[in-house]
């Protein structure tokens, strides 16, 4: 049965660990695995602009011996009258996998139902699971075993990053905290799903409104832009709402002395994070950005083995 990666909890704890282990090996030797030799083609579809996702998938697919086919929905039928399911039925006859950076999670789900090749969520409005694989890889590189570590995400709790942190960290057996205003809490169903997974894996889930309380004594502090793509008209309101959740040196001082700082980038310096934090000694954002390449390659290898 074809496996897809649409949400972080599409993987079990053992499967997540298997992919991270493979990512470590592929980082040591980028060209050790060539499952796409031929070259086979992977369709990489973009509804949204991108730097890290576009580069990491294009380079990673080439590293694996394949050819990335970059498609913009603005210049394809998928961006107009063709449904995701019809596009999937066409693409599966020509490509070995489909990667899609899009808006609605429902489109990815529809595409996955109608194809026999793996479909990967490269970002949706609800989840950003490939980023979380890279983040977990980065945390593991700097802190070792993931289980038992405590991580706080600050900002928009309904964002794709916050919701992926809930699920991915629960799968890993971590203690995950989301700090956000009351009006921006995560989807209740995602919270329930994360709580169930965390309980089974020895982790925990907690929601906070007080940023200081949420980061006290934690191992990892994470934030993301307050104004995601498609929310630009809400910038003034969001800046006013999230101002208290800015990660600055005073907030970082409440975490453990060796706490890591992560941000998926791009960052709005001076808004969700100050320059002294993002450029400081606790920041691992450049390792995090590079690890998109290695984590996604491992994911593709793992999915292709099961296709």
């Amino acid at each position: 049965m074809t496996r897809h990666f649409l949400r972080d909890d599409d993987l079990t704890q053992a499967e997540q660990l298997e992919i991270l282990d493979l990512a470590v090996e592929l980082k040591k030797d980028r060209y050790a695995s060539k499952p796409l030799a031929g070259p086979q083609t992977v369709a990489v579809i973009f509804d949204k602009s991108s730097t890290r996702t576009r580069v990491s998938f294009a380079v990673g697919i080439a590293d694996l011996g394949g050819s990335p086919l970059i498609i913009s929905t603005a210049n394809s039928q998928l961006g107009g009258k063709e449904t995701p399911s019809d596009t999937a039925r066409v693409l599966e006859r020509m490509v070995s996998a489909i990667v899609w950076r899009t808006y609605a999670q429902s489109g990815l789900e529809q595409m996955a139902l109608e194809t026999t090749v793996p479909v990967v969520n490269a970002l949706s409005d609800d989840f950003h699971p490939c980023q979380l694989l890279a983040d977990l890889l980065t945390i593991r590189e700097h802190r070792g075993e993931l289980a038992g570590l405590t991580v706080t995400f600050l900002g928009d709790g309904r964002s794709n990053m916050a919701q992926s942190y809930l699920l991915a960290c629960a799968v890993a057996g971590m203690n995950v905290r989301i700090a956000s205003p009351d009006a921006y809490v995560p989807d209740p169903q995602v919270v329930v799903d994360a709580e169930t997974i965390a309980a089974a894996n020895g982790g925990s889930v907690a929601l906070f409104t007080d940023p200081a309380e949420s980061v006290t004594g934690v191992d990892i502090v994470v934030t993301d832009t307050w104004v995601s793509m498609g929310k630009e008209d809400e910038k003034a309101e969001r800046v006013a709402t999230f101002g208290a959740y800015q990660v600055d040196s005073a907030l970082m001082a409440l975490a453990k002395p060796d706490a890591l700082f992560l941000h998926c980038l791009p960052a709005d310096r001076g808004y969700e994070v100050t320059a002294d934090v993002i450029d400081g000694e606790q920041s691992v954002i450049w390792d995090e950005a590079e690890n998109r390449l290695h984590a996604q390659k491992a994911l593709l290898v793992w999915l292709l083995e099961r296709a």
Side-chain angles (χ1 to χ4, degrees), residues 5-249:
F5 189 53
L6 309 184
R7 295 171 38 132
D8 308 81
D9 55 349
D10 283 340
L11 303 174
T12 66
Q13 187 177 48
E15 290 170 343
Q16 184 191 74
L17 181 59
E18 187 177 349
I19 291 169
L20 293 176
D21 285 344
L22 179 56
V24 171
E25 295 306 311
L26 291 177
K27 188 169 184 176
K28 292 176 183 176
D29 184 353
R30 280 181 53 175
Y31 310 108
S33 181
K34 298 283 185 180
L36 292 170
Q40 299 176 52
T41 300
V42 175
V44 189
I45 309 170
F46 290 93
D47 291 356
K48 299 183 176 185
S49 60
S50 168
T51 299
R52 278 149 294 277
T53 299
R54 183 183 299 268
V55 174
S56 58
F57 269 111
V59 172
I61 291 162
D63 284 359
L64 296 175
S67 176
L69 175 61
I70 307 298
I71 302 171
S72 168
T73 49
N75 298 310
S76 71
Q77 296 298 337
L78 181 57
K81 61 186 179 182
E82 190 163 72
T83 65
S85 60
D86 286 353
T87 296
R89 288 168 175 162
V90 172
L91 290 179
E92 71 174 1
R93 295 175 177 234
M94 305 180 193
V95 305
S96 297
I98 301 168
V99 177
W100 192 8
R101 180 179 173 94
T102 187
Y103 290 92
Q105 182 75 12
S106 59
L108 284 155
E109 293 168 355
Q110 184 182 359
M111 181 173 280
L113 283 174
E114 300 295 344
T115 184
T116 57
V117 300
V119 175
V120 174
N121 178 0
L123 178 144
S124 71
D125 287 345
D126 292 340
F127 305 103
H128 199 353
C130 288
Q131 180 66 57
L132 260 292
L133 286 177
D135 288 11
L136 293 179
L137 177 61
T138 305
I139 294 167
R140 199 173 92 160
E141 285 178 339
H142 288 269
R143 289 293 176 268
E145 186 177 353
L146 295 172
L149 294 175
T150 301
V151 54
T152 294
F153 178 94
L154 299 107
D156 184 352
R158 192 63 184 265
S159 68
N160 48 24
M161 281 298 295
Q163 297 195 151
S164 272
Y165 256 92
L166 280 170
L167 295 179
C169 292
V171 170
M174 300 171 71
N175 305 304
V176 56
R177 304 175 176 183
I178 305 296
S180 66
D182 284 328
Y184 291 89
V185 296
D187 182 330
Q189 186 58 57
V190 174
V191 174
V192 169
D193 292 344
E195 289 174 336
T196 301
I197 296 166
N201 292 336
S204 65
V205 170
L207 304 183
F208 292 78
T209 55
D210 182 347
E213 182 184 5
S214 75
V215 303
T216 298
V218 303
D219 300 285
I220 303 105
V221 177
V222 189
T223 192
D224 187 20
T225 180
W226 295 335
V227 188
S228 300
M229 284 177 283
K231 308 284 188 183
E232 290 82 2
D233 59 340
E234 302 174 16
K235 182 172 183 177
E237 176 187 349
R238 284 175 167 263
V239 168
T241 299
F242 294 116
Y245 295 84
Q246 182 187 71
V247 180
D248 57 16
S249 56

